[in-house]
Amino acid sequence: MLRKLWSHWLTLARKIGQFQSRIILTLFYLVFVTPFGLALRLVADPLHMRPRTISQAQSGWQPRETRDIDLASGQKQS
């Protein structure tokens, strides 16, 4: 009698545990992960496409570093 009752309790407890884990993980995702992802998407600029200064905002050109170019560096091609 007690074994049968215990096995039914284990089945019910497993179903309750699965339900609770889904609720807890869903709430965790909605409360922590989603706002963090949205905030990061609004702030981050991985391709560096947003202008940093007013002159870059007007022209759209990205600054480029130039090096001294001479015949030796042209033959080296590195």
Side-chain angles (χ1 to χ4, degrees), residues 2-60:
L2 286 178
R3 285 187 193 262
K4 191 173 184 179
L5 183 64
W6 181 251
S7 68
H8 287 298
W9 167 250
L10 288 179
T11 305
L12 179 65
R14 177 165 287 154
K15 289 180 182 181
I16 291 171
Q18 288 176 350
F19 177 74
Q20 280 182 339
S21 67
R22 287 185 182 150
I23 295 296
I24 290 170
L25 288 175
T26 302
L27 288 175
F28 177 80
Y29 183 80
L30 292 174
V31 171
F32 293 109
V33 177
T34 303
F36 179 75
L38 290 174
L40 193 62
R41 176 156 305 203
L42 291 174
V43 174
D45 185 22
L47 298 178
H48 304 291
M49 297 293 288
R50 293 185 186 154
R52 293 179 187 263
T53 62
I54 295 173
S55 63
Q56 286 178 342
Q58 293 172 353
S59 69

